[in-house]
């Protein structure tokens, strides 16, 4: 694999950078927050993103998408990360589209894909049950009924669950962990919005005696672990790309501040201790960029080491965004502590993104296991 | 009186005089700040403050003639131990006690001491600090607020920032430039300004944690009596630095403060959220990180104790306040990062019933902790001070 | 406990600092190394140390020592660490004296204590069997014989074992781990010198069908775990004190070099990045000093948290000496890489000391366990 | 010829021409340095070097008229891939190839290129680097060695240090001061000096690892022909900096070098010494540390690949050599620290049969690795360069 963007990917990247800079600067997130917007994102912008084809990047051409792939979607996510844009890109364009494209039956595809591509259907993955990422810890159950399945369980950290029309739920059957497509409006499904520190939303989803038709099964009975792994690896790398964008932006703003802010009669960027810390951060961002691009590419190519690269990318993105946002606030000094300044938004976003789809510790552990130690 | 006798007597007095409610941990919103318009959640707060103030024990080592407790260092240590043993809340807190009072005692005229120290000790006046300015943060001496001596008063104009709780304070101790032609450290004076007059205005600043504990304070054409100058004209920088040492000590000890977290260490949260195996935190990486933090935190607390013990033994203290400020605040940031790491999803909530009150408070406190290494002199400034004054490294 | 040195401890400290500075500068270690000295230390100096009473600090007065305690011995060890002096202080004055004083029978004391106090008997603790510190991993066996015990086993990292006349050996009996006093000259004992990177010595000790009298048992049958723990905690803290001295010396030399060395027309100590790193190291040394003093004091007072403080002190000393020696070499630049300069001796010593009596990871683990998590 | 055809042909040629022994990993003491007095452990080493040199493949992308391979970047990449696939050893190494040759090509006169490049490519002359001086380490431009132009030659006097393997080298490329009155960067020239003459003396320096790979080199009243000046008089600094970029690249890639460790990663040693549980390293803290290192190392290797791929795709390369030098050398130090941590007692042995040859070698290599962040410009200098040239931070 060559670690270099194709012309097409470069075009998507430029387009996405312009899009978010113009239509969804950090000010947009602030407004959603301060107006206590019940959805936490802009449906109008989401339709525009769908019109640009981003919802179809992971949907094959014969199903109505472009099949452009993870490298392309990664460019969009990185651009979104630059302005901390809140949207269902990951929950829907990445996870939902992948789930249907990879495992959906023709009936499922025809039921959901068109409206997902147009931006109408929003999906959410309901797999976590505890405080820490652990897709294998599934207590939710699905038992067979006369005409399908009955689900019970409690899901804790369902990203975009508060606006989703379709949930992808992991539950345990006799055969093992299995995924189901659950329309949010199904009886017995209760969705409670959870507002996070980054002004984005997750939901608590409870399933109480939820009756589903046989056609709600996604993939095979008991095949949920492998399918979830594939979906999650895409989500991890997509999120890592978004986090890379956020780290780059926090860094660029901090370097600019170092040049502008004067103390002791000189720009504070002339102090060597700050210079060295900035240079170290630059290096970390560069190696993170390589890890993210390699993981995106490996997923598109179906490479054998894609899972290890996914953990590598998420582990590096976690550490680098943590560092970039922490250094950003510290180097901005007092002004960085004010709500009025935007650098604090990166700090809040960083810690939520870190624990999403696996902390640094989780991915170090997984990387070691995948490499045989 | 022997120390043993003092201990016995003190214990008995505390038993008799500390109201039961004041022996429970104080939530953050029940701190007693005193002042002209004090707020009380419980009458016991005022009772406790008044009783302690009457003995001068709100500033126990200060001389009796100014209302202080007149205790020796050993006695004050015993008082502290007995208060901790009984779980007594601090009767009164604030910048008057921890920062201004020590420099008043050192640099004030007899009249200034007579006027201000008893007010501080009795909790009658709440002070705030007018040091930083928008253009003068780490470069504190670069301040531009001006005071011009006009006969018996100064005419003051200026713009201060990070004035903690200025919107609740009665008076502000302020650094102002009184000689714009002198070198930057040599034209600064230290003024005491009453805020209850036209021309003084405090505007709260909203922080990333959502709280507003700091203000911008604007001072426009305010007349300040000449006798409110602390120390000599244009010699305020010396006092300013001395006060900063007291501030550093109080911020460096930030991890000590009572509060929910002190009773709920990160390892308990880790067991709760990451699970437990054979009595251990189930996630071994999290467990090692928490132990590494706990070891550093314990070593730091032992260092504070060592410094206190050395002072008590009459050993000359090193110029260590910068080190305490640096290490204590960096540790406090790590502590909240540990709490977040332990809590997982529950550590990054903002609103809603699914998060406990503690969880939501800790998220805000985590954000608040990021200011610790900025306020009162950034970590970078502290490291500069250590390099220069302790290690003697050249400029 | 008050964390302040008594007048007496201060006197010992000053005396020890003078002693090692005058009689055992780093040059002494270099000479021992370059002459391939078979013992690796100076017997003459060791007798002088004994004459100063240091071998008796941990021996009670009624047994001929001074009972001066760990705080006093810690001052001696810290001073020794300043000049990287190699001596049997830890193996003999600390571990051997403690073992006999705490657990020795009257017969054992009368057999060994006098010559230990005079510097004639050198002891060595033979407890490790693998590459990593683990006193609980004992495969060596002791089975009862008609008139005593028969020992078999292999001990890997026996400090000063190559010069010891008396070994303290851990072996497993039916009752559990048990300690034995084994004269080095006993038949079946083979001792092979192992030269370490810090120019000090350990030994590989093999025990093959070693017959011992009943009186060779130290403490109680099966009581070895608790006794070893006590001995090791003393050793950990004593070594931490020595390491603190080494860290202080490496740091002082580095700060001096920062003042002396000029580049770009100015002392390199005027560069802010180096200043900040030096200041951070200063802070780490200060907190390490407190941890070491608290642990020494707790051991003397028999405090309940002495074990936790021992792990705390060793963990901090490990990290701080590692940092001080690494930064020392880096800040000395090229000259620090030469054998001619002494700063490299601190680097070599640091890593050997780190793995002795438990690495940082070992003591973090133990600290957590002792604190209930 | 198409790239596919080139690959096929190259593979066949390597199969036919690379001696079997040269397809095994090279121990450190079997590196081929060439020179006037080469040392061979095996005749295959010379055979392999000569065969590769005859095709110019010891410097594959250099022009054919100077003895180079004349390959495109893509072809050279293919050659590298095929050599790696077959496990071929490097036929020849040294500072002549990696550092001097590129600047000779860029700045040399036609005569200089004709003279020196073929000698380098054929392994006939071994070069060393005369840059640092005892008083000029990080401040390289502060050098004091002098060269005075006297008609058709320079008279050179100076004292160089850290001249790698100077005691084995035939020639030295040297920075000397030719105008002591000019500003420090403007009076420096770049000279090529033959060491086989009286007045040049190299004294090995013993390092903490016990090895002596560096020398002090003394140059006393040595005459150097004027035509051995590379570039213009007093303009040597530009060439010096350019050469440093090539040096940084080669040091930054230090973790790539074949050798025992490449085949024995830290995690294998950790399993061996700390034990294994369910296929995992039994010590969870050690396991996490090793994974953290391995992740950074992999991300760095991917970054080197990305830079190469971008160059090949014709994307403008950033000024990244300082970043590679910094990150690669810091990683290499961490790598050896990991190895020591994994090995425990076996990692800190110095002599004796109880330590394996690998263990003893790694201890020495651990010490050697400490020089990585000093030689070729310290990590601090690299961070200065990144801050200034990449980030544009002010002086």
């Amino acid at each position: 694999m060559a670690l270099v963007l194709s012309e097409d990917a470069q075009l998507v990247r430029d387009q996405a950078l312009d899009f978010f800079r113009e239509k969804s600067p950090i000010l947009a997130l602030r407004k959603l927050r301060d107006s206590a917007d019940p959805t936490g994102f802009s449906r109008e912008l989401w339709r525009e993103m769908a019109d640009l084809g981003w919802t179809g990047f992971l949907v094959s051409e014969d199903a109505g998408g472009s099949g452009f792939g993870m490298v392309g979607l990664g460019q969009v996510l990185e651009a979104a990360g630059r302005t901390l844009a809140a949207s269902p890109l990951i929950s829907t364009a990445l996870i939902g589209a992948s789930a249907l494209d990879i495992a959906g039956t023709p009936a499922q595809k025809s039921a959901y894909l068109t409206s997902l591509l147009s931006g109408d259907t929003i999906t959410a993955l309901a797999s976590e049950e505890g405080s820490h990422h652990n897709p294998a810890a599934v207590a939710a159950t699905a038992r067979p009924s006369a005409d399908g399945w009955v689900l019970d369980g409690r899901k804790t950290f369902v990203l975009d669950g508060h606006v989703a029309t379709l949930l992808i739920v992991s539950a345990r059957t006799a055969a093992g962990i299995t995924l189901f497509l659950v329309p949010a409006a199904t009886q017995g499904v209760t969705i409670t919005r959870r507002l996070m520190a980054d002004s984005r939303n997750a939901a608590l989803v409870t399933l109480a005696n939820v009756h589903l038709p046989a056609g709600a099964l996604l993939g095979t009975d008991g095949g949920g672990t492998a399918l979830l792994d594939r979906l999650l690896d895409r989500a991890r790398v997509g999120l890592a790309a978004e986090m890379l964008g956020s780290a780059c932006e926090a860094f660029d703003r901090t370097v600019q501040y170092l040049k502008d802010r004067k103390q002791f009669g000189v720009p504070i960027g002339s102090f060597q201790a700050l210079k060295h810390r900035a240079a170290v951060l630059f290096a970390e961002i560069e190696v993170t960029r390589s890890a993210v691009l390699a993981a995106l590419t490996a997923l598109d190519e179906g490479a054998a080491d894609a899972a290890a690269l996914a953990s590598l990318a998420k582990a590096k993105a976690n550490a680098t965004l943590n560092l970039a946002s922490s250094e950003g606030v510290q180097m901005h000094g007092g002004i960085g502590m004010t709500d009025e300044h935007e650098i604090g938004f990166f700090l809040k976003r960083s810690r939520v993104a870190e624990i999403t789809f696996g902390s640094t510790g989780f991915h170090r552990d997984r990387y070691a296991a995948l490499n045989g130690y | 009186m022997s120390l043993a006798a003092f201990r016995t007597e003190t214990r008995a007095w505390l038993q008799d005089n500390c109201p039961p409610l004041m022996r429970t941990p104080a939530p953050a919103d029940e701190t007693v700040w005193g002042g002209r318009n004090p707020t009380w959640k419980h009458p016991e707060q005022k009772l406790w403050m008044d009783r302690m103030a009457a003995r001068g024990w709100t500033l126990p080592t200060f001389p009796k003639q100014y209302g202080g407790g007149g205790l020796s260092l050993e006695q004050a240590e015993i008082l502290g131990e007995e208060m901790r043993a009984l779980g007594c809340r601090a009767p009164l807190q604030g910048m008057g006690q921890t920062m201004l009072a020590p420099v008043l005692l050192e640099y004030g005229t007899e009249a200034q001491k007579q006027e201000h120290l008893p007010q501080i000790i009795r909790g009658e006046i709440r002070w705030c600090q007018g040091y930083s300015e928008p253009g003068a943060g780490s470069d504190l001496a670069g301040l531009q607020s001006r005071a011009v001596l006009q006969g018996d008063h100064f005419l003051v104009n200026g713009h201060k920032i990070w004035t903690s709780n200025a919107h609740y304070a009665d008076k502000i101790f302020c650094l102002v430039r009184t000689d714009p032609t002198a070198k930057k450290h040599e034209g600064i004076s230290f003024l005491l300004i009453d805020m209850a007059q036209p021309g003084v205005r405090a505007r709260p600043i909203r922080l990333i944690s959502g709280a507003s504990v700091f203000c911008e304070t604007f001072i426009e054409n305010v007349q300040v009596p000449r006798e409110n100058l602390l120390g000599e004209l244009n010699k305020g920088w010396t006092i300013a630095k001395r006060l900063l040492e007291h501030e550093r000590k109080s911020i460096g000890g930030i991890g000590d403060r009572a509060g929910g977290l002190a009773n709920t260490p990160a390892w308990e949260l880790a067991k709760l959220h990451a699970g437990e195996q054979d009595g251990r935190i189930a996630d071994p990486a999290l467990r090692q990180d928490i132990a590494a933090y706990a070891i550093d935190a314990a070593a730091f607390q032992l260092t504070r104790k060592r410094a206190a013990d050395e002072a008590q033994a009459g050993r000359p203290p090193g110029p260590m306040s910068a080190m305490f400020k640096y290490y204590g605040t960096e540790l406090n940031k790590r502590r909240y990062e540990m709490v977040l790491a332990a809590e997982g999803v529950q550590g990054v909530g903002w609103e809603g019933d699914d998060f406990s009150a503690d969880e939501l408070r800790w998220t805000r406190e985590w954000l608040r902790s990021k200011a610790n290494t900025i306020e009162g002199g950034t970590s970078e400034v502290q490291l500069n001070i250590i390099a220069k004054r302790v290690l003697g490294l050249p400029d």
Side-chain angles (χ1 to χ4, degrees), chain A, chain B:
Chain A
M1 68 182 165
L3 293 182
V4 65
L5 289 186
S6 68
E7 298 288 335
D8 285 351
Q10 189 66 49
L11 284 175
V12 167
R13 177 183 180 80
D14 294 341
Q15 184 186 40
L17 284 168
D18 288 345
F19 179 89
F20 288 107
R21 205 176 286 134
E22 277 169 33
K23 309 211 168 178
S24 185
I26 294 177
L27 189 61
L29 180 67
R30 181 191 292 278
K31 282 184 182 159
L32 289 166
R33 180 195 75 176
D34 292 347
S35 66
D37 185 277
T39 62
F41 77 106
S42 159
R43 280 191 192 275
E44 193 184 327
L45 268 191
W46 178 236
R47 289 237 167 64
E48 288 188 42
M49 294 187 217
D51 290 345
L52 288 167
W54 296 345
T55 46
F57 274 9
L58 300 188
V59 176
S60 25
E61 287 181 67
D62 53 13
S66 66
F68 192 59
M70 282 296 296
V71 169
L73 192 57
Q75 304 318 304
V76 175
L77 284 163
E78 186 184 333
R82 281 225 169 232
T83 69
L84 301 176
S87 82
L89 271 170
I90 286 185
S91 62
T92 303
L94 196 154
I95 299 175
S98 294
L100 289 166
D101 192 66
I102 292 171
T105 61
Q108 287 168 336
K109 286 186 184 174
S110 80
Y112 300 115
L113 258 186
T114 309
S115 69
L116 185 152
L117 289 169
S118 68
D120 292 320
T121 285
I122 291 174
T123 63
L125 177 66
S127 58
E128 306 281 2
E129 300 191 357
S131 312
H132 292 267
H133 178 63
N134 189 355
V138 175
T141 57
R143 58 198 152 82
S145 68
D147 54 351
W149 302 88
V150 182
L151 266 62
D152 285 280
R154 184 175 183 276
K155 300 290 179 178
T156 50
F157 186 53
V158 182
L159 288 177
D160 292 336
H162 66 304
V163 288
T165 52
L166 182 67
L167 301 170
I168 301 161
V169 178
S170 63
R172 204 170 278 281
T173 70
I177 294 172
T178 307
L179 298 190
F180 294 90
L181 294 178
V182 183
T186 312
Q187 198 174 6
V189 175
T190 314
I191 297 177
T192 318
R193 182 185 176 202
R194 309 184 85 183
L195 182 61
M196 308 304 291
D198 60 352
S199 301
R200 299 203 193 180
N201 292 274
L204 181 76
V205 173
T206 56
L207 305 141
N209 203 29
V210 175
H211 283 259
L212 298 173
L217 179 74
L218 183 69
T220 59
D221 184 11
T225 299
L227 179 55
L228 200 50
D229 226 32
R230 268 186 85 179
L231 298 179
L232 282 173
D233 271 341
R234 287 192 178 188
R236 286 159 182 153
V237 179
L239 180 56
E242 188 197 314
M243 293 170 79
L244 170 66
S246 301
C248 287
E249 182 70 23
F251 179 64
D252 289 350
R253 288 168 179 236
T254 302
V255 168
Q256 192 57 49
Y257 188 76
L258 293 179
K259 293 176 185 173
D260 295 341
R261 169 74 171 172
K262 285 195 174 150
Q263 290 280 275
F264 307 100
V266 295
I268 60 173
S270 66
F271 293 115
Q272 196 197 30
L274 299 186
K275 278 185 188 178
H276 279 200
R277 283 156 57 185
V280 168
L281 184 49
F282 167 80
E284 289 297 345
I285 287 174
E286 283 301 312
V287 302
T288 303
R289 173 173 299 287
S290 314
V292 168
L293 182 55
L296 291 166
T297 308
L299 286 168
D300 280 341
E301 296 181 356
D305 60 351
L309 283 170
S311 279
L312 176 98
K314 184 61 168 48
K316 279 308 290 178
N318 279 353
T320 298
L321 179 55
N322 185 305
L323 184 65
S325 59
S326 299
E327 286 284 50
V329 168
Q330 177 69 19
M331 290 191 190
H332 274 80
I335 200 79
M337 289 301 298
T338 65
D339 184 67
E340 200 177 335
H341 199 282
E342 291 180 344
I343 195 75
F345 282 73
F346 290 87
L347 185 68
K348 294 176 183 177
R349 174 65 187 144
S350 74
R351 303 312 195 265
V352 181
E354 259 184 87
I355 56 124
T356 305
F357 307 134
S359 66
T360 308
F362 177 93
H363 285 293
R364 284 183 185 159
D365 175 80
R366 187 167 180 260
Y367 187 82
L370 288 169
N371 282 284
Y373 56 94
Chain B
M1 181 168 35
S2 76
L3 289 178
F6 176 78
R7 186 184 292 276
T8 312
E9 198 178 286
T10 299
R11 185 176 302 169
W13 187 87
L14 290 170
Q15 293 273 13
D16 291 345
N17 289 278
C18 185
L21 186 65
M22 294 298 101
R23 302 182 193 186
T24 62
D29 60 351
E30 294 191 12
T31 301
V32 174
W33 301 103
R36 286 175 184 147
N37 305 298
T39 50
W40 310 107
K41 281 214 157 184
H42 314 284
E44 290 93 332
Q45 292 176 297
K46 179 162 171 31
L47 188 68
W48 177 226
M49 180 187 85
D50 288 343
R51 282 180 181 164
M52 286 290 276
R55 297 176 76 91
W57 283 4
T58 50
L59 275 178
T61 61
F62 272 57
K64 287 208 167 186
Q65 74 255 42
Y66 306 124
L71 302 188
S72 68
L73 282 173
E74 290 89 343
Q75 289 174 320
E77 175 78 7
I78 287 170
L79 170 60
E81 287 168 11
E82 293 301 319
M83 285 178 68
R84 279 191 293 277
L86 205 64
C88 303
R89 294 187 186 179
L92 176 66
Q93 285 185 43
M95 297 187 165
Q97 280 174 289
T98 53
M99 296 186 213
L100 181 61
V103 296
L104 266 174
L105 193 64
E106 190 172 350
Y107 297 97
T109 62
E110 188 55 33
Q112 287 171 335
K113 290 191 244 188
Q114 290 288 359
E115 178 185 355
H116 298 292
L117 286 175
Q119 291 176 342
I120 291 172
I121 287 165
R122 292 196 299 260
E124 292 165 358
I125 293 293
R126 182 170 179 180
W127 285 87
C128 71
Q129 178 184 34
Y131 266 42
S132 296
E133 299 183 2
S138 288
D139 181 17
L140 181 55
L143 57 93
Q144 297 300 325
S145 291
R146 289 285 312 277
V148 182
L149 187 56
Q150 299 181 333
D152 62 350
H153 68 269
F154 292 92
L155 185 68
V156 185
N157 277 285
H159 179 184
K160 294 290 177 181
I161 197 168
W162 312 124
T163 43
S164 308
N165 288 310
H167 47 330
Y168 300 123
D170 305 309
K171 297 186 179 178
I172 182 168
F173 50 89
C174 241
L175 295 181
V176 291
R177 189 159 299 285
T178 38
D179 183 355
T181 63
K183 282 194 225 158
K184 79 178 180 182
H185 295 89
E186 292 168 12
I188 291 171
S189 297
F190 194 110
L191 283 189
L192 310 175
I193 303 177
D194 198 317
M195 298 178 78
Q197 52 184 316
V200 183
R201 188 167 55 88
R203 188 178 75 82
I205 300 168
R206 187 178 156 89
L207 296 183
I208 54 175
S209 64
S212 300
V213 292
F214 296 106
C215 293
E216 281 188 276
T217 298
F218 303 90
I219 303 173
E220 284 166 25
N221 291 322
V222 169
Q223 293 192 0
V224 176
R226 185 174 183 156
E227 59 263 31
N228 282 12
L229 172 72
L230 184 64
E232 289 176 54
L233 190 68
N234 297 327
K235 297 280 173 64
W237 186 245
T238 309
I239 307 178
K241 281 194 299 181
R242 196 89 176 97
L243 186 140
L244 282 176
E245 285 183 28
H246 295 293
E247 181 178 12
R248 272 179 226 133
K249 272 186 219 158
S250 78
I251 298 180
I254 206 157
D256 288 349
R257 282 187 195 157
L261 257 186
N263 303 318
T264 313
W267 62 263
E268 265 185 29
L269 296 169
K271 279 187 174 181
L272 180 68
H273 292 286
E276 194 172 342
Q277 231 165 31
D278 307 327
R280 301 179 165 203
I281 298 163
D283 177 339
L286 184 58
R287 180 169 176 267
Q288 277 268 332
D289 285 350
I290 289 176
Y293 161 73
I295 283 171
D296 284 348
F300 179 64
Q301 290 310 327
L302 290 167
T303 306
R304 288 168 54 83
K305 174 161 168 46
R306 177 164 68 88
D309 290 351
E310 281 173 352
Q312 208 160 335
R315 305 285 161 87
M320 302 282 276
S321 67
M323 191 281 244
F324 286 122
K325 202 306 185 166
Y326 163 73
Y327 210 93
T329 55
E330 294 290 342
L331 264 177
N332 203 45
K333 292 205 307 188
R334 260 175 82 192
R335 177 191 191 206
Y336 280 99
E337 292 288 347
M338 282 293 118
V339 167
L340 255 66
E343 291 179 303
V345 175
Q346 298 306 111
V348 287
W350 197 252
E351 274 177 28
D353 295 340
D354 292 327
F355 302 103
S356 75
D358 274 349
E359 286 164 359
L360 291 175
R361 197 173 74 241
W362 294 332
T363 308
R364 311 287 178 125
E365 287 179 5
W366 159 68
L367 288 164
R368 173 64 182 83
S369 75
K370 297 302 178 195
N372 297 158
T373 54
I374 297 169
E375 62 201 333
T378 62
S379 279
E380 291 76 12
V381 166
Q382 308 310 318
L383 293 174
N384 286 344
I385 292 174
I386 296 169
K388 180 174 182 169
R389 297 203 206 140
V390 185
L391 305 181
L393 290 171
D395 278 333

